[in-house]
């Protein structure tokens, strides 16, 4: 009997969770099948894969071959376990991450079912979450956000609904989320603050119960504090790389920057990647009268206490990631998108006569968003643009190997890592590189002063630039983005070749992103880059 309850802890569920989880995983696996063998991308390559790779090889929880950013180690432990069991390949990594994403969708299903109590609402909330371009793209990328989102959502399953709460279980899930990503503690701490605030109006017995619940919700701070204590004991630094701390938590504190970032975050939570479709439908539906269910009663809705908590969580997360986080990455808000979709779907169900059609429309908008880029700047990892970028980088490296196999390569991150770290899947041997920050006019002008340092240049789009400026807010907005959010403009490959005195020998562009190979006919000074003396070759 106890074993049966473990498998299906909520008997009101229409299907046991152990039956639903494989369905989510198979759906994710099939929809991501063409992406599973792609090499690692962006922050995967820059931190998370090297950190897990270091742990697998050395047993060190603190990275030794990449900058130490003091991120909690649970994703590294998880990935290293899978690599130990199945081998160190991108396919194994992405399948392991898909399991975590499926667990997150299972949490979305269960959360919606517990809050609204309608299986069709749970189905559409989970399906729309899985199809939402940001969640879909992150579902196979080995970055901490999907790990933290899955654990946070299961913490909310146990802590957010107004009935049947299990704060001890919530504490375990929120602790796991904190050990995946440090900023995850904002969710349970917000819920704990709400419990304390509401206890003021309670009788002594109920007040004590709420205090106890707040303590359980706050318990996630303890394992995170233990990790930072361990990190400090090992490195003498609490938060790791000082430049990383300055970029993400010190240089972000200007009031104007916070206000501008908050505006971006509101758009991220309501409109980005076609999220405006279900949000607009739900807002429009508020003018309609609630519909009756099969028994003639009004269809159920989210109770006021839960609704209040959801909106406060959305507000806190929007404020938090306006204050910290140097880049306005939408994946930081990954646990919040299911909550937005739950609000939208439950409103459609309650008020829209043909609400399934509205849900289908939202799903179609999300599928379109996977393949069609928005008419404004965005991070390629917000949809399937990241896969196009990876394939372009692979094509560029193949051209480099074919045309200039003995070159020292002028390029920028992440191509510098892709050429110098064979474990990332782009090359089989290391190349010599001469790194620059980006391909803006200032960086190219500095590179032109040292022509003897490189014999080829692999230049690429470091940011997505839409063809039309229709959705920009003018010069003032651009100046703000340049000052606070790292906006810059790369020179076209032909202009870079002209500035550096080289010949443009190959170029490819697609969906507003591009890559090009430039060759220089001149001798190169011998130098060692990160101790590498061997030439590198492109991986097949």
């Amino acid at each position: 009997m106890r074993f049966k309850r473990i498998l299906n802890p909520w008997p009101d569920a229409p299907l046991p969770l152990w039956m639903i989880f494989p369905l989510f995983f198979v759906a994710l696996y099939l929809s991501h099948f063409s992406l599973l063998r792609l090499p690692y991308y962006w922050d995967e390559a820059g931190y998370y894969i090297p950190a897990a790779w270091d742990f697998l090889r050395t047993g060190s929880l603190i990275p030794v071959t990449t900058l130490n950013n003091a991120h909690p180690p649970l994703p590294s432990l998880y990935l290293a376990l899978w690599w130990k069991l199945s081998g160190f390949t991108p396919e194994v990594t992405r399948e392991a991450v898909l399991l975590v994403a499926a667990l997150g969708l299972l949490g979305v299903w269960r959360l919606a079912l517990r809050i609204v109590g309608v299986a069709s609402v749970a189905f559409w909330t989970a399906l729309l979450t899985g199809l939402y371009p940001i969640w879909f793209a992150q579902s196979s990328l080995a970055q901490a956000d999907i790990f933290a989102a899955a654990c946070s959502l299961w913490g909310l399953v146990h802590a957010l609904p107004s009935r049947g709460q299990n704060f001890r279980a919530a504490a375990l899930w929120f602790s796991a989320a904190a050990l995946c990503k440090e900023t995850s503690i904002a969710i349970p701490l917000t819920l704990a603050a709400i419990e304390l605030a509401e206890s003021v109006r309670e009788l002594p017995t109920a007040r004590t119960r709420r205090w106890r619940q707040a303590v359980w919700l706050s318990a996630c701070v303890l394992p995170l504090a233990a990790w930072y204590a361990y990190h400090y004991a090992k490195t003498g630094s609490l938060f790791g790389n000082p430049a990383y701390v300055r970029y993400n938590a010190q240089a972000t504190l200007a009031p104007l920057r916070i206000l501008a970032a908050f505006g971006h975050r509101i758009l991220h939570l309501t409109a980005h990647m076609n999220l405006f479709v279900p949000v607009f439908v739900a807002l429009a539906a508020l003018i309609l009268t609630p519909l009756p269910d099969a028994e003639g009663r009004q269809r159920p809705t989210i109770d006021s206490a839960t609704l209040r908590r959801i909106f406060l969580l959305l507000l806190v997360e929007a404020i938090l990631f306006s204050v910290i986080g140097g880049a306005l990455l939408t994946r930081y808000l990954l646990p919040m998108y299911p909550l937005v979709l739950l609000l939208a779907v439950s409103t459609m169900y309650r008020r829209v006569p043909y609400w399934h059609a509205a849900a289908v429309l939202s799903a179609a908008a999300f599928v379109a968003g996977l393949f069609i880029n928005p008419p404004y700047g965005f991070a390629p990892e917000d949809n399937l643009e990241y896969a196009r970028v990876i394939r372009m980088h692979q094509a560029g490296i193949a051209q480099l190997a074919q045309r200039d196999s003995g070159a020292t390569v002028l390029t920028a991150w992440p191509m510098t890592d892709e050429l110098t770290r064979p474990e990332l899947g782009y090359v089989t041997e290391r190349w010599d590189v001469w790194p620059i920050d980006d391909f803006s006019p200032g960086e190219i002008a500095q590179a032109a002063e040292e022509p003897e340092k490189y014999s080829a240049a692999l230049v690429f789009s470091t940011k997505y630039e839409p063809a039309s400026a229709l959705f920009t807010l003018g010069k003032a907005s651009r100046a703000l983005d340049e000052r606070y959010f790292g906006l810059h403009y790369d020179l076209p490959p032909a202009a870079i070749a002209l500035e550096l005195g080289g010949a443009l020998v190959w170029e490819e562009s697609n969906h507003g992103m591009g890559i090009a190979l430039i060759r220089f006919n001149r001798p190169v000074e011998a130098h060692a880059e990160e101790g590498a003396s061997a030439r590198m070759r492109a991986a097949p």
Side-chain angles (χ1 to χ4, degrees), residues 385-472:
E385 185 66 23
Y386 86 88
R388 299 189 190 104
V389 172
I390 290 175
R391 293 183 176 116
M392 278 198 296
H393 284 210
Q394 288 180 299
I397 293 172
Q399 289 290 327
L400 176 66
Q402 177 183 340
R403 297 170 182 267
D404 217 340
S405 61
T408 297
V409 187
L410 172 77
T411 193
W413 187 84
M415 184 66 74
T416 49
D417 283 356
E418 294 166 6
L419 289 172
T420 58
R421 301 187 69 114
E423 65 270 21
L424 299 181
Y426 293 86
V427 299
T428 56
E429 298 178 18
R430 296 164 56 88
W431 288 76
D432 287 337
V433 301
W434 186 256
I436 57 177
D437 289 341
D438 51 52
F439 305 106
S440 60
E443 287 292 306
I444 296 302
Q446 290 186 24
E449 296 177 358
E450 299 181 289
E452 73 283 357
K453 301 296 185 182
Y454 48 89
S455 58
L458 201 51
V459 303
F460 56 93
S461 302
T462 58
K463 294 183 180 296
Y464 172 77
E465 296 183 13
S468 172
L470 182 63
F471 281 78
T472 63

Side-chain angles (χ1 to χ4, degrees), residues 198-253:
E198 292 184 348
S199 70
V200 174
R201 298 173 297 177
E202 301 281 3
L203 296 174
T205 302
R207 186 182 305 130
T208 301
R209 175 177 55 82
R210 286 193 179 272
W211 289 352
R212 187 165 54 248
Q213 292 170 177
V215 169
W216 278 114
L217 290 169
S218 304
C220 63
V221 173
L222 298 178
L224 185 62
W227 159 248
Y228 280 122
Y230 172 82
H231 185 273
Y232 183 80
K234 289 291 185 179
T235 67
S237 171
L238 192 61
F239 299 115
N241 178 23
Y244 174 82
V245 176
R246 282 195 301 272
Y247 177 72
N248 285 284
Q250 295 175 351
T252 61
L253 300 181

Side-chain angles (χ1 to χ4, degrees), residues 519-540:
R519 179 185 294 166
F520 308 95
N521 293 319
R522 57 191 177 220
V524 180
E525 279 188 1
H527 70 281
E529 189 66 31
E530 298 180 351
S533 59
R535 300 295 179 186
M536 307 165 216
R537 300 292 184 267

Side-chain angles (χ1 to χ4, degrees), residues 126-259:
L127 179 62
L128 290 177
T129 297
L131 290 176
Y132 184 54
I134 297 172
W135 183 284
F136 187 95
Q138 293 299 319
S139 291
S140 63
L141 292 177
Q143 300 176 139
D145 305 88
I146 191 67
F147 294 84
C151 294
S152 295
L153 287 166
W154 273 101
L156 290 174
V157 166
H158 294 284
L160 187 57
S162 297
R163 61 181 181 85
Q165 297 158 315
N166 185 339
F167 287 95
R168 295 181 182 181
L172 291 176
W173 282 110
F174 286 135
S175 295
L179 290 177
C180 291
K181 190 175 183 185
E182 58 276 14
T183 52
S184 298
I185 62 172
I187 295 175
L189 292 184
T190 299
L191 295 177
I194 294 172
E195 292 294 326
L196 292 176
E198 292 184 348
S199 70
V200 174
R201 298 173 297 177
E202 301 281 3
L203 296 174
T205 302
R207 186 182 305 130
T208 301
R209 175 177 55 82
R210 286 193 179 272
W211 289 352
R212 187 165 54 248
Q213 292 170 177
V215 169
W216 278 114
L217 290 169
S218 304
C220 63
V221 173
L222 298 178
L224 185 62
W227 159 248
Y228 280 122
Y230 172 82
H231 185 273
Y232 183 80
K234 289 291 185 179
T235 67
S237 171
L238 192 61
F239 299 115
N241 178 23
Y244 174 82
V245 176
R246 282 195 301 272
Y247 177 72
N248 285 284
Q250 295 175 351
T252 61
L253 300 181
L256 183 58
R257 192 256 179 212
I258 293 173
L259 183 62

